[in-house]
């Protein structure tokens, strides 16, 4: 579900997901089993060919019997799902609309693949659902730390304790993290679960 | 604002009946500023009745700093600009020219480019083709014209695009089928068109019908200011009044009266000359391609380069 108004302009806001009727064909990427949303979308599939790529074990199990899509690719994890998505996007034609459903880490990695093949924002709709865990980009060493649920995290690259900001980069698909105790070494606020 | 430089019309070439190419160079033989593919310049043409400023797309090589090239078709309904260039312009003559501006830039992140030219609309397409060829990008060119002799830049395009140049000659009943042209294109393809109004509209409509987002479809079209009834303009800030003659645009009348409103394209496309309307006792004829329907309905804005009044008086915030 989309959060309330973001605290910072760069933080994405996700609108309720609808099919884009201007599209000639459609590709739905599912990285979390949001039942009400998926049932609603698949009960009224869009005009034009629909392909679905699932990148989540529970959704793969449940959506296996769906008949709304002309093409159904069932993968049980994100990395396989992203590979399948790329192989479809690689061969796809103008007129395609891409719908990305899942946690931010998954949908922004998928959006990055689409951008590599020349898709622009009017062709892509994203919707955040499932875990709120954040991908965090270290502004010091440029390493990515994924699945971050806390306000502070140790960078997977340089080990600095990073504060997870709301500042989001669409290009990197990640929130910015900076060293929390750079000015006063060792002075850190308590660690809290902020992104369940 | 509106900086101009004096250049020399150093060469005039007859390309076809009614189509001439002009070379513009610096008087001191020095280098001209760089521009990007798709750019245009505005020429200040010294017509007997006063200066006429017309936009023309640069047709040459954006990397050629020695000369700027334009190609001009003599318009049957010429307001004097193209007629002057075809009848009165002489080699060696000095002429004032604006800096290049680009309202038709290429999409740098595209995976493939489809360039489409209709008639004299080929001019910005050539500069795009040059830049794409230089960058080693994937592109193709589709060039529609009336008859074989009007395919004036075919050889140049052939050198740039090779077998990816497709010509459509109306006198041989050849036309571009946009549906076929746009079908089955890989994601990340961008399509560009410069040509007559009907062609531009058909192109956008077909692309939209086929699911292409507007972000991937680009076109350029400059309108000539249409003539109409004479009307009065009141300048609210300087408390002056002037008359726009029937064959004059409002922008031209403002310039003739010594004001210098900003402009870029002078053809209703760029929005640079947008002016606030304070009062109006008549109907505004919005001829531009820039203002939204809501802005038109509000009656608060006018694009003086192409829009005018059906008689009466308009007060603007100038």
């Amino acid at each position: 579900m989309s959060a309330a108004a973001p605290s910072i302009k760069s933080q994405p806001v996700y609108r309720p997901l609808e099919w884009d009727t201007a599209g000639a064909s459609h590709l739905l990427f599912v990285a979390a089993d949001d039942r009400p949303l998926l049932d609603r979308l698949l009960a009224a599939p869009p005009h034009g060919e629909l392909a679905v790529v699932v990148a989540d074990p529970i959704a793969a199990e449940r959506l296996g019997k769906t008949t709304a899509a002309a093409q159904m690719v069932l993968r049980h994890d994100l990395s396989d799902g992203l590979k399948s998505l790329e192989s479809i996007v690689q061969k796809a034609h103008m007129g395609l609309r891409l719908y990305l459903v899942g946690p931010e880490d998954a949908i922004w990695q998928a959006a990055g693949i689409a951008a590599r093949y020349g898709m622009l924002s009017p062709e892509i709709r994203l919707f955040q659902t499932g875990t709120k865990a954040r991908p965090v980009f270290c502004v010091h060493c440029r390493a990515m730390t994924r699945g971050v649920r806390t306000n502070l995290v140790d960078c997977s690259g340089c080990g600095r304790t990073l504060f997870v900001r709301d500042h989001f980069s669409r290009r990197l698909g990640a929130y910015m993290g900076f060293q929390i105790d750079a000015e006063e070494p060792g002075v850190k606020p308590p660690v809290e679960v902020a992104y369940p | 604002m509106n900086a101009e430089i004096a250049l020399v019309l150093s060469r005039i070439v007859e390309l076809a009946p009614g189509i001439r190419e002009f070379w513009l160079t610096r008087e001191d033989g020095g280098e001209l500023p760089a521009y990007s593919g798709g750019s245009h310049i505005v020429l200040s043409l010294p017509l007997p009745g006063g200066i006429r400023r017309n936009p023309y797309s640069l047709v040459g090589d954006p990397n050629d700093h020695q000369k700027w090239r334009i190609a001009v078709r003599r318009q049957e309904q010429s307001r004097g600009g193209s007629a002057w260039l075809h009848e009165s312009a002489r080699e060696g003559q000095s002429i004032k020219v604006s800096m290049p501006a680009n309202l038709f830039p290429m999409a740098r992140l595209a995976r493939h480019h489809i360039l489409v030219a209709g008639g004299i609309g080929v001019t910005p397409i050539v500069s795009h083709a040059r830049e794409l060829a230089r960058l080693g990008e994937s592109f193709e060119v589709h060039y529609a014209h009336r008859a074989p002799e009007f395919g004036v830049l075919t050889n140049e395009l052939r050198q740039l695009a090779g077998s990816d140049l497709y010509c459509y000659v109306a006198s041989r009943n050849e036309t571009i089928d946009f549906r076929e042209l746009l079908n089955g294109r890989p994601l990340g393809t961008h399509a560009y068109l410069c040509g007559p109004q009907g062609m531009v509209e058909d192109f956008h409509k077909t692309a939209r019908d086929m699911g292409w987002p507007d972000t991937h479809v680009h076109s350029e079209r400059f309108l000539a200011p249409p003539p109409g009834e004479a009307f009065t303009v009141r300048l609210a800030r300087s408390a002056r009044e002037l008359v726009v003659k029937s064959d004059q645009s409002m922008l031209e009348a403002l310039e003739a009266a010594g004001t210098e409103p900003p402009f870029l394209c002078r053809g209703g496309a760029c929005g640079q000359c947008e002016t606030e309307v304070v009062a109006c006792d008549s109907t505004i004829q919005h001829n531009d391609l820039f203002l939204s329907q809501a802005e038109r309905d509000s009656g608060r804005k006018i694009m003086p380069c192409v829009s005018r009044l059906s008689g009466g008086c308009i007060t603007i915030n100038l």
Side-chain angles (χ1 to χ4, degrees):
Chain A
M1 299 299 114
S2 66
S7 65
I8 194 164
K9 208 175 164 185
S10 68
Q11 193 177 2
V13 174
Y14 303 95
R15 294 176 203 296
L17 193 60
E18 302 290 345
W19 300 115
D20 181 354
T21 55
S25 59
H26 308 265
L27 174 53
L28 172 64
F29 178 78
V30 178
D33 189 32
D34 183 330
R35 286 188 184 209
L37 171 67
L38 295 169
D39 289 351
R40 175 173 65 79
L41 288 175
L42 294 171
H47 189 73
E49 195 163 295
L50 170 65
V52 180
V53 173
V54 179
D56 173 80
I58 300 163
E61 190 70 32
R62 201 173 67 81
L63 292 175
K65 294 177 225 63
T66 302
T67 54
Q71 189 185 1
M72 195 82 193
V73 181
L74 302 172
R75 298 279 181 258
H76 291 264
D77 66 54
L78 181 59
S79 108
D80 284 350
L82 290 171
K83 277 180 208 141
S84 297
L85 176 78
E86 177 156 7
S87 71
I88 293 177
V89 165
Q90 206 167 23
K91 289 178 283 206
H93 295 150
M94 288 299 295
L96 179 75
R97 294 297 184 278
L98 182 59
Y99 309 85
L100 306 172
V101 173
E104 282 185 309
D105 189 21
I107 60 180
W108 285 99
Q109 283 193 61
I113 290 169
R116 279 212 298 283
Y117 290 93
M119 293 188 91
L120 298 175
S121 56
E123 301 169 283
I124 307 171
R125 295 185 177 189
L126 301 99
F127 188 76
Q128 178 191 22
T129 183
T131 174
K132 294 238 170 42
R134 293 181 165 188
V136 177
F137 177 82
C138 174
V139 302
H140 308 288
C141 80
R142 299 176 166 258
M144 197 74 86
T145 306
R146 299 190 184 276
V148 178
R149 295 173 187 273
T150 45
N151 58 334
L152 301 182
V153 67
D154 289 342
C155 173
S156 62
C158 63
R160 288 180 176 92
T161 303
L162 303 176
F163 173 71
V164 180
R165 292 199 63 204
D166 285 340
H167 179 176
F168 186 83
S169 160
R170 282 161 172 70
R171 186 177 65 82
L172 298 165
Y175 289 89
M176 300 296 108
F178 69 85
Q179 188 181 352
I180 188 69
D181 60 345
E183 293 186 6
E184 293 179 81
V187 179
K188 301 173 186 178
V191 176
E192 289 166 5
V193 173
Y195 316 110
Chain B
M1 205 88 219
N2 306 340
E4 288 187 318
I5 46 173
L7 298 180
V8 181
L9 267 182
S10 53
R11 198 161 163 219
I12 301 175
V13 191
E14 303 292 335
L15 295 179
I19 303 179
R20 273 182 152 190
E21 177 177 328
F22 300 86
W23 290 14
L24 296 152
T25 50
R26 267 174 58 162
E27 279 165 357
D28 60 6
E31 292 208 333
L32 290 162
Y35 65 92
S36 52
S39 296
H40 72 272
I41 50 175
V42 175
L43 267 59
S44 291
L45 306 169
L47 265 56
I51 299 290
R52 167 78 19 102
R53 293 196 171 99
N54 281 359
Y56 296 103
S57 292
L58 287 161
V59 67
D61 181 349
N63 274 348
D64 180 352
H65 296 283
Q66 293 307 311
K67 61 178 182 294
W68 284 344
R69 294 168 54 201
I70 59 169
V72 180
R73 177 180 165 195
R74 197 198 152 121
Q75 301 297 321
E76 284 111 44
Q77 307 286 324
S78 176
R79 298 169 61 245
S82 69
W84 185 89
L85 281 165
H86 277 266
E87 286 160 15
S88 307
R90 297 285 173 266
E91 286 185 355
Q93 194 163 3
S94 174
I95 199 153
K96 285 202 170 130
V97 178
S98 74
M99 285 295 143
N102 199 343
L103 302 172
F104 189 41
M106 87 171 62
R108 295 274 168 182
L109 297 175
R111 288 166 78 204
H112 181 68
H113 306 258
I114 303 173
L115 307 177
V116 186
I120 197 63
V122 71
T123 53
I125 296 301
V126 174
S127 68
H128 273 315
R130 270 196 194 284
E131 209 155 347
L132 291 168
R134 185 175 55 81
L135 294 167
E137 294 278 324
S138 164
F139 75 100
E140 60 191 62
V141 184
H142 300 262
Y143 181 15
H145 44 83
R146 284 176 286 164
E149 65 269 31
F150 292 105
V152 290
L153 293 162
T154 304
N155 290 340
E156 213 162 325
L157 285 170
R158 181 71 66 198
Q159 281 174 16
L160 298 167
S163 59
D164 290 320
L165 171 67
Y166 304 87
C167 292
Y168 308 78
V169 185
S171 66
R172 296 190 204 128
N173 290 320
E174 297 164 358
T175 50
I176 306 181
D177 180 339
F178 287 145
R179 193 156 270 280
E180 201 178 298
L181 181 72
L182 299 174
N183 188 40
R185 296 304 190 147
L187 287 178
T189 302
H190 284 247
Y192 309 74
L193 184 144
C194 186
Q197 176 171 355
M199 194 178 182
V200 171
E201 283 165 8
D202 189 25
F203 184 62
H204 280 280
K205 186 183 179 305
T206 306
R208 225 169 269 149
D209 287 350
M210 296 176 73
W212 285 53
D214 291 345
T215 43
H216 290 64
V217 187
H218 316 268
S219 63
E220 178 158 73
R221 177 161 67 94
F222 295 132
L223 305 171
E229 281 176 60
F231 61 99
T232 305
V233 179
R234 241 175 238 143
L235 309 182
R237 278 191 270 166
S238 51
R240 293 168 61 198
E241 203 170 281
L242 55 96
V243 173
V244 181
K245 290 182 275 188
S246 68
D247 64 343
Q248 205 178 21
S249 76
M250 187 168 152
L251 180 59
E252 288 162 355
L254 289 166
E255 288 171 338
T259 66
E260 289 189 349
F263 67 81
L264 269 182
C265 78
R266 304 182 76 89
C270 75
Q272 190 75 19
C273 69
E274 179 182 299
T275 304
E276 194 190 327
V277 177
V278 178
C280 176
D281 68 6
S282 168
T283 313
I284 301 176
Q285 297 164 351
H286 291 288
N287 297 314
D288 63 278
L289 306 162
F290 183 78
L291 292 178
S292 68
Q293 194 55 50
E295 286 171 316
R296 288 169 182 220
D297 294 344
S298 77
R300 307 287 312 194
K301 286 174 179 172
I302 188 167
M303 312 297 300
C305 62
V306 291
S307 298
R308 58 190 306 125
L309 230 61
S310 44
C313 177
I314 188 170
T315 307
I316 57 174
N317 190 14
L318 260 187

